[in-house]
Amino acid sequence: EAGVVQSPRYKIIEKKQPVAFWCNPISGHNTLYWYRQNLGQGPELLIRYENEEAVDDSQLPKDRFSAERLKGVDSTLKIQPAELGDSAVYLCASSLLENTGELFFGEGSRLTVL
Amino acid sequence: SQQGEEDPQALSIQEGENATMNCSYKTSINNLQWYRQNSGRGLVHLILIRSNEREKHSGRLRVTLDTSKKSSSLLITASRAADTASYFCATLMDSNYQLIWGAGTKLIIKP
């Protein structure tokens, strides 16, 4: 069974440029998460979807970040415009809706903003 | 916000020794989970312990939970070089089912 797939793995951009990350969760997983992880820290939730609905986006900086999960499967996280402080690893995870346990993570997308 | 706090922040031991990491949290939880993250990779789920459980084993892993002290420990026995990674605890809050992460313990196993 394929795991959570993220792309790109690495992205280097100049500040003020836009960037987008894509995530394909495990088949059948209704819940999808986007996390941001800074070096030496734990993941911080940006947004959580249950099917197509964003049920928790309280930590998403909505002035520059946006996310969508069309048809309740793949998801895209966009930053526009990027700032120096956005340099981090963006992690996507998925789980079963009824599951209050294990999250399955992708390998992450490492963003460097110059 | 981060509820879980792991200690130590970093731990370096010889291969074959046991490694113990601790996690403390602040509010009532549904469960507590431990994850491992190898450098440059995603997180991998190791073990979950529910709030009504006190101890759980999985292979060389042993997790304990003390809800009165709001703390958990992860013991890795007979450590191997491949155990070198960062270990994170995550607590599922009882009130809103949010998963809150700690800052992690960086474990280095010296051959």
Side-chain angles (χ1 to χ4, degrees):
Chain A
E1 179 184 292
V4 176
V5 179
Q6 289 188 246
S7 69
R9 286 277 282 135
Y10 305 93
K11 189 75 176 179
I12 301 174
I13 60 172
E14 303 262 335
K15 63 181 180 182
K16 299 184 183 179
Q17 294 299 306
V19 63
F21 305 110
W22 173 81
C23 173
N24 180 237
I26 291 173
S27 177
H29 281 195
N30 315 89
T31 306
L32 184 146
Y33 309 76
W34 281 105
Y35 284 94
R36 177 169 58 192
Q37 186 179 27
N38 291 305
L39 190 64
Q41 297 184 23
E44 296 178 12
L45 181 69
L46 292 173
I47 190 167
R48 175 168 63 101
Y49 284 94
E50 289 180 4
N51 299 305
E52 312 81 45
E53 184 182 358
V55 296
D56 185 354
D57 64 355
S58 56
Q59 301 302 313
L60 188 72
K62 297 181 183 63
D63 56 337
R64 298 183 300 106
F65 285 64
S66 65
E68 59 181 12
R69 190 183 185 196
L70 300 176
K71 300 181 182 178
V73 182
D74 294 4
S75 178
T76 303
L77 176 71
K78 296 178 182 177
I79 308 174
Q80 182 171 12
E83 297 178 353
L84 295 177
D86 295 332
S87 294
V89 176
Y90 291 84
L91 294 163
C92 179
S94 69
S95 68
L96 292 170
L97 183 63
E98 307 82 14
N99 187 3
T100 56
E102 181 176 3
L103 266 62
F104 294 81
F105 282 84
E107 297 284 27
S109 295
R110 180 178 294 276
L111 173 66
T112 301
V113 182
L114 303 175
Chain B
S1 63
Q2 293 188 322
Q3 167 170 238
E5 293 184 6
E6 287 98 331
D7 83 271
Q9 288 187 329
L11 179 62
S12 181
I13 60 174
Q14 292 294 138
E15 192 168 22
E17 294 180 340
N18 296 340
T20 300
M21 289 158 272
N22 303 296
C23 171
S24 60
Y25 57 92
K26 297 173 185 172
T27 62
S28 178
I29 62 171
N30 178 282
N31 65 56
L32 185 147
Q33 304 169 39
W34 286 91
Y35 287 77
R36 183 188 72 225
Q37 186 177 37
N38 290 86
S39 182
R41 309 295 295 273
L43 288 87
V44 175
H45 184 270
L46 294 176
I47 195 166
L48 177 153
I49 187 165
R50 303 189 190 284
S51 59
N52 61 353
E53 297 176 312
R54 292 296 166 258
E55 187 171 316
K56 207 159 182 182
H57 298 254
S58 177
R60 294 183 296 113
L61 305 180
R62 173 178 168 249
V63 170
T64 59
L65 178 65
D66 187 334
T67 53
S68 66
K69 295 181 180 178
K70 292 186 169 59
S71 68
S72 172
S73 67
L74 171 67
L75 169 68
I76 303 174
T77 60
S79 63
R80 305 168 182 169
D83 295 329
T84 293
S86 291
Y87 291 81
F88 294 89
C89 73
T91 49
L92 187 72
M93 295 173 67
D94 229 355
S95 55
N96 57 11
Y97 287 97
Q98 276 194 355
L99 193 60
I100 307 296
W101 297 81
T105 292
K106 188 168 184 177
L107 175 65
I108 296 173
I109 308 297
K110 296 178 286 187

